[in-house]
Amino acid sequence: MQIKKAGGKVFGAVLTAAERKAMDIEINRQIVEADRQYTDNIDAMVLYTLRVHLGFGPKRLRRFWEAFSAEHDRLIRYYEMLDDYAWLCKTKLKEAGVDVEAWNRERRDDCEFHSD
């Protein structure tokens, strides 16, 4: 690793390919760890929303949860194996007229607080 300094302060680094790969592996490991930490809360929010807004009962919620969990596991493997499954999900949804990234940008824009 080559450290970049200016005026006695560190402002960056140039990593070798091996260092970059090791860093990416560690970042992905931490993403998976954080995901596992929040899985119950995310599942509960999604299932509650389906129950309240779409009237899903326990059997339908269970069927949805099983399918959702299977897809979720594939995403976990994506982060561990560096595959591109998340991209495929986003692309297939876009083909069906659902742009999750745009929806999330809109939500973030709506939730921003502006101070006058």
Side-chain angles (χ1 to χ4, degrees):
M1 175 178 5
Q2 184 179 24
I3 305 295
K4 294 183 177 185
K5 292 183 179 182
K9 298 192 184 240
V10 174
F11 69 91
V14 176
L15 303 175
T16 66
E19 290 168 331
R20 219 175 6 263
K21 183 177 180 179
M23 183 178 69
D24 288 344
I25 289 169
E26 176 59 19
I27 289 169
N28 287 334
R29 186 196 65 74
Q30 289 181 24
I31 289 170
V32 169
E33 183 180 314
D35 177 79
R36 288 184 179 135
Q37 183 178 3
Y38 296 108
T39 296
D40 289 343
N41 291 341
I42 292 167
D43 287 354
M45 287 186 294
V46 169
L47 294 172
Y48 179 77
T49 301
L50 291 171
R51 172 82 177 142
V52 171
H53 293 279
L54 300 177
F56 281 30
K59 287 182 185 178
R60 197 167 183 203
L61 286 170
R62 179 63 186 228
R63 282 195 327 261
F64 171 83
W65 177 82
E66 287 171 354
F68 186 76
S69 294
E71 294 303 318
H72 183 255
D73 290 345
R74 286 188 186 102
L75 289 173
I76 294 297
R77 285 193 297 276
Y78 158 76
Y79 284 116
E80 290 176 346
M81 297 171 56
L82 301 176
D83 195 4
D84 210 3
Y85 190 74
W87 173 85
L88 178 60
C89 291
K90 290 177 199 171
T91 300
K92 291 297 183 184
L93 284 169
K94 281 182 184 177
E95 288 173 4
V98 177
D99 188 340
V100 175
E101 292 170 324
W103 290 0
N104 281 319
R105 276 192 306 275
E106 289 171 13
R107 178 149 169 72
R108 279 191 300 271
D109 292 346
D110 290 345
C111 291
E112 286 185 24
F113 293 99
H114 302 284
S115 59
D116 295 326

